[in-house]
Amino acid sequence: MPWFGKRALIAAAVVSALPLLAAAQDTERELERYRQMLTADPWSNPGLLDVDRGAALWKEKRGPKNVSLERCDLGRGPGKVKGAFAVLPRYFRDAKRVMDVETRLVWCMEKLQGFSRAEILKRPYSKANQPGTDLEALATYVAHQSKGFKFQPSLRYRKEKEALAIGEALFFRRQGPMDFSCATCHVEPGKRIRLQELPVLVKPEVARREIGGWPAYRVSQGTVMTMQHRITDCYWQMRLPQIDYGSDATIALTMYLANQAKGGEITAPQIER
Amino acid sequence: MPPRLATILLVVAAGAVAAARADAQPSDLAEQAIKQSWAAASKEWQARLVQDETQKLCSLYRNKPPKQIADAILARERATIRYPADGKLMGDWRRGETLAQSGYGGRFTDYPARAENGGNCYACHQLAPTELSFGTLGPTLLNYGKSRKFAPEEVKTVYERIYNPQALTACANMPRMGTNGFLTIGQIRDLVAYVMSPESPVNTPVAKEQEGKDSK
């Protein structure tokens, strides 16, 4: 075969391989276009449906005690929602532990409304293409009430500093049959799993952009996903057992991420793939 | 020194020691947090959270161990490698390709097992030129065997790297598939063939494959 024939074949092979690559780039481009549309018209973000539902759930008299969550203290005093998410996770004296938004909501649903913990946690996460659970809607509502605020995690209490140190240690802790840590995927810049780009969470400028968007609306799932769910999924992928909802490790990792994102603006619910 | 001053100094020193003890290390606190956070998991599953010596050291040094520690890791990990009884390090590259594509196995939703564990190589490596959905956490392996002239010692190195990459690079990111019991010797052999066999698409440029078909 003449050399130009070979070259033509190489070109043909490259061209035939193009659609897949193009498809991946298209997905990324379309997602970006979608994000821009949402910036132009913020009301078109489907995550806002969960925000609205969360707002209604917050005010509704519910549970065995038939009271609303309007007396729930998210850290800025009973009923104060605005800006509260920007200072979470934080230490709560009544619970004697550091809590993230979801753990605190569960606490309020238990203590104020009289729900049983088992009842609340029967279905903490929605599956793909299901409407968000009550807990997801409430968490999205509370986060959205800090939109425009900047992450200023509290480090006044010893327990808060400890949570940060634990979170950092867990981020770099290798374990399990795959020897993975969070750092395996989230330290080196410009890396992908298959075609999925990975955020470098040890870089404050990346963390600021990424973390403030959670709970996020995931286009591929058609539902909101909380940080508790995100962390649970990462550990699932790392071949570790299912982590307990609202456990110390999940809160410590959230604390580490919130501190990495310190000064970053809260944009939840951000659109994610 | 007057006895009273000595006593005061002693008390102060003892206080400093006590304070240092009370100031628990982050890693100790992290271990406590782990116990608290996977309390609902079964004993068998909880065992996955217990680190071996190598995992502990790589976590402590964030994958950059000092030379002495690195050497100890290399020696310890090398000692875990088991070779096929018949000495054949290459199996079936076609089976290797299936394994390289599959990310199945080991997740808590994968039980009871519906398939064999996969090697999930494409999550992190480029291999055959036709597969464009590849990750970049690891180096590209496109043309790996060919560029090393299919040399037998290179075949052995690939076998060892898949079985236990930390026998060659202390605290490598890649999982120790053989040592951790995630893949069998037979599966590793098939993966070695996928990377090192001259017939494997990993070592066949797309155009050349086309050319071969055309001339037939």
Side-chain angles (χ1 to χ4, degrees):
Chain A
M1 182 182 294
W3 67 269
F4 57 82
K6 198 181 205 173
R7 207 194 234 179
L9 277 171
I10 291 172
V14 168
V15 168
S16 69
L18 276 177
L20 232 170
L21 192 63
Q25 286 168 342
D26 277 355
T27 308
E28 200 45 55
R29 220 177 3 247
E30 284 303 302
L31 205 58
E32 194 45 48
R33 210 165 67 85
Y34 193 28
R35 285 195 190 110
Q36 275 166 13
M37 272 165 53
L38 297 179
T39 314
D41 177 14
W43 296 108
S44 58
N45 181 343
L48 292 180
L49 294 172
D50 293 278
V51 171
D52 283 352
R53 213 162 56 79
L57 283 167
W58 181 263
K59 293 184 195 106
E60 193 186 326
K61 287 182 178 151
R62 301 168 73 223
K65 293 188 186 168
N66 198 35
V67 292
S68 77
L69 285 169
E70 286 165 305
R71 298 292 300 159
C72 176
D73 183 357
L74 296 166
R76 310 197 74 166
K80 288 199 174 145
V81 189
K82 207 125 201 109
F85 182 74
V87 209
L88 288 172
R90 69 186 291 162
Y91 180 74
F92 286 90
R93 267 188 286 189
D94 53 5
K96 293 189 178 60
R97 69 181 292 225
V98 177
M99 292 170 145
D100 65 351
V101 62
E102 291 162 81
T103 322
R104 190 60 186 174
L105 283 166
V106 171
W107 167 274
C108 287
M109 287 166 84
E110 263 188 284
K111 304 289 167 191
L112 297 178
Q113 298 181 312
F115 282 112
S116 82
R117 195 178 153 76
E119 173 86 15
I120 305 164
L121 298 185
K122 216 187 275 169
R123 202 174 74 93
Y125 315 124
S126 52
K127 294 205 171 101
N129 303 315
Q130 282 179 353
T133 62
D134 290 351
L135 204 45
E136 285 172 335
L138 282 163
T140 311
Y141 160 69
V142 171
H144 186 68
Q145 285 297 302
S146 286
K147 196 177 168 80
F149 282 76
K150 288 184 170 143
F151 268 120
Q152 290 304 335
S154 162
L155 288 174
R156 284 187 306 138
Y157 289 92
R158 182 176 57 89
K159 289 269 185 198
E160 291 168 342
K161 288 179 199 143
E162 278 182 6
L164 174 58
I166 293 167
E168 185 173 0
L170 290 176
F171 190 87
F172 289 95
R173 188 184 194 269
R174 296 185 69 171
Q175 65 244 309
M178 291 292 202
D179 297 322
F180 287 154
S181 67
C182 307
T184 307
C185 290
H186 295 292
V187 165
E188 275 188 81
K191 300 289 182 184
R192 305 186 319 231
I193 288 186
R194 290 277 182 161
L195 293 173
Q196 174 72 61
E197 285 172 28
L198 296 160
V200 188
L201 298 172
V202 290
K203 283 198 178 229
E205 67 269 28
V206 178
R208 275 184 217 120
R209 196 174 61 227
E210 297 288 332
I211 303 302
W214 293 78
Y217 179 82
R218 296 191 73 203
V219 179
S220 62
Q221 304 295 302
T223 184
V224 286
M225 188 183 206
T226 62
M227 193 50 87
Q228 283 282 331
H229 194 181
R230 179 62 273 175
I231 290 170
T232 302
D233 257 22
C234 281
Y235 276 120
W236 167 80
Q237 196 64 269
M238 288 158 79
R239 273 74 181 172
L240 294 176
Q242 181 155 22
I243 196 164
D244 300 348
Y245 192 91
S247 57
D248 287 353
T250 60
I251 293 165
L253 278 167
T254 307
M255 188 67 156
Y256 174 66
L257 295 175
N259 271 272
Q260 288 298 112
K262 196 173 172 175
E265 203 176 300
I266 288 154
T267 54
Q270 184 64 263
I271 302 290
E272 296 285 337
R273 182 194 292 254
Chain B
M1 195 188 291
R4 220 160 79 199
L5 184 59
T7 310
I8 289 168
L9 280 176
L10 202 68
V11 168
V12 169
V17 169
R21 283 214 187 113
D23 216 23
Q25 290 300 306
S27 54
D28 295 339
L29 292 170
E31 296 312 307
Q32 287 170 26
I34 284 166
K35 283 211 176 69
Q36 189 269 359
S37 302
W38 277 277
S42 70
K43 283 263 177 302
E44 192 190 343
W45 273 89
Q46 282 172 349
R48 292 194 181 192
L49 292 154
V50 180
Q51 293 175 300
D52 70 8
E53 198 54 23
T54 298
Q55 289 174 330
K56 268 185 210 165
L57 290 166
C58 296
S59 306
L60 181 65
Y61 292 104
R62 297 193 178 175
N63 297 333
K64 291 184 182 74
K67 173 134 198 339
Q68 216 180 344
I69 304 263
D71 288 346
I73 290 171
L74 293 173
R76 179 173 51 237
E77 296 305 324
R78 177 156 293 278
T80 66
I81 299 182
R82 299 288 170 267
Y83 297 88
D86 62 5
K88 285 189 184 129
L89 298 179
M90 283 213 274
D92 177 352
W93 69 259
R94 283 186 180 81
R95 275 186 42 81
E97 180 158 55
T98 309
L99 289 167
Q101 287 283 6
S102 166
Y104 182 85
R107 298 164 299 201
F108 58 74
T109 49
D110 289 339
Y111 298 88
R114 299 179 295 277
E116 64 181 329
N117 286 354
N120 210 12
C121 313
Y122 276 107
C124 301
H125 296 283
Q126 181 181 29
L127 290 135
T130 43
E131 179 53 88
L132 296 171
S133 175
F134 59 85
T136 56
L137 281 159
T140 175
L141 302 177
L142 179 68
N143 254 330
Y144 191 92
K146 196 180 179 188
S147 67
R148 281 158 185 78
K149 302 188 168 57
F150 308 109
E153 64 272 21
E154 297 285 356
V155 171
K156 185 163 175 273
T157 305
V158 171
Y159 181 89
E160 290 168 349
R161 265 211 191 273
I162 300 172
Y163 200 102
N164 190 335
Q166 299 210 46
L168 295 117
T169 311
C171 301
N173 263 336
M174 184 166 145
R176 296 168 290 172
M177 296 289 193
T179 298
N180 288 352
F182 199 80
L183 296 178
T184 64
I185 286 177
Q187 287 177 312
I188 293 173
R189 273 211 288 217
D190 293 337
L191 287 169
V192 174
Y194 188 49
V195 176
M196 292 306 290
S197 138
E199 291 81 42
S200 162
V202 171
N203 298 307
T204 319
V206 184
K208 203 171 170 194
E209 199 181 36
Q210 288 289 329
E211 196 179 60
K213 274 179 198 155
D214 283 2
S215 61
K216 265 173 206 164

